Amino acid sequence: MVTTMTDLERELSRIAGAVPDPELPVLTLEELGVLRGVQVLGPGRVEVELTPTYTGCPAIEAMSSDIERALHDHGVPEVSVVTVLAPAWSTDDISDEGRRKLAEFGIAPPRPQGPADGPIPLTLAIRCPNCSSTETELLSRFSSTACKALRRCTACREPFDHFKEL
């Protein structure tokens, strides 16, 4: 069943989507692609659907409370945030603006994975967000968060985070 959003749901979605990601505050939840939907259930009652970047993501609780706070501040008395696991989140859900912001912030954005039934992208190199060189090496499979790896550019010698593809 396809439902269209009301003007109020679009406004509430904009507010919830503008909440910064607690681990990557340079990105909003909308840009990260984890906000799945907002539905008005009745007067003063709203349900928000949120998909974690991976099952067990510790940031989901902070995201939920931040969304609740933002919508309460907007005058919505009853907000429930529901975790939705299917379809699973993918790094392809990060918006173009989100990818631009990651690179600008010094984090190499994930490479596009493409559709499951489509051609496999041939982008193998990870570009340094500092100098744009593709000559990089892996230092650690994990960085400040489980969804990032630590890499170093062999051209400019600067270390940087790479948001892993999923």
Side-chain angles (χ1 to χ4, degrees), residues 12 61 133-134 150:
L12 297 175
E61 289 180 30
S133 171
T134 56
L150 182 61

Side-chain angles (χ1 to χ4, degrees), residues 56-165:
C57 174
I60 198 78
E61 289 180 30
M63 290 178 196
S64 296
S65 343
D66 291 347
I67 288 171
E68 288 173 7
R69 188 176 317 105
L71 293 179
H72 285 310
D73 289 350
H74 191 70
V76 180
E78 188 180 331
V79 178
S80 62
V81 179
V82 178
T83 301
V84 177
L85 300 178
W89 179 86
S90 158
T91 50
D92 282 344
D93 294 331
I94 299 174
S95 70
D96 290 341
E97 178 66 5
R99 290 170 187 279
R100 185 194 64 73
K101 285 182 175 182
L102 283 172
E104 189 176 271
F105 192 64
I107 298 172
R111 297 166 291 194
Q113 298 299 296
D117 60 346
I120 298 170
L122 294 177
T123 308
L124 301 177
I126 296 169
R127 192 168 297 281
C128 171
N130 302 305
C131 74
S132 297
S133 171
T134 56
E135 301 299 319
T136 65
E137 62 187 356
L138 180 67
L139 296 178
S140 175
R141 289 182 53 224
F142 298 99
S143 183
S144 58
T145 63
C147 36
K148 292 185 286 188
L150 182 61
R151 299 189 71 87
R152 177 176 45 219
C153 177
T154 57
C156 72
R157 307 296 299 163
E158 289 293 321
F160 63 91
D161 281 337
H162 167 236
F163 200 111
K164 296 185 245 180
E165 294 78 21

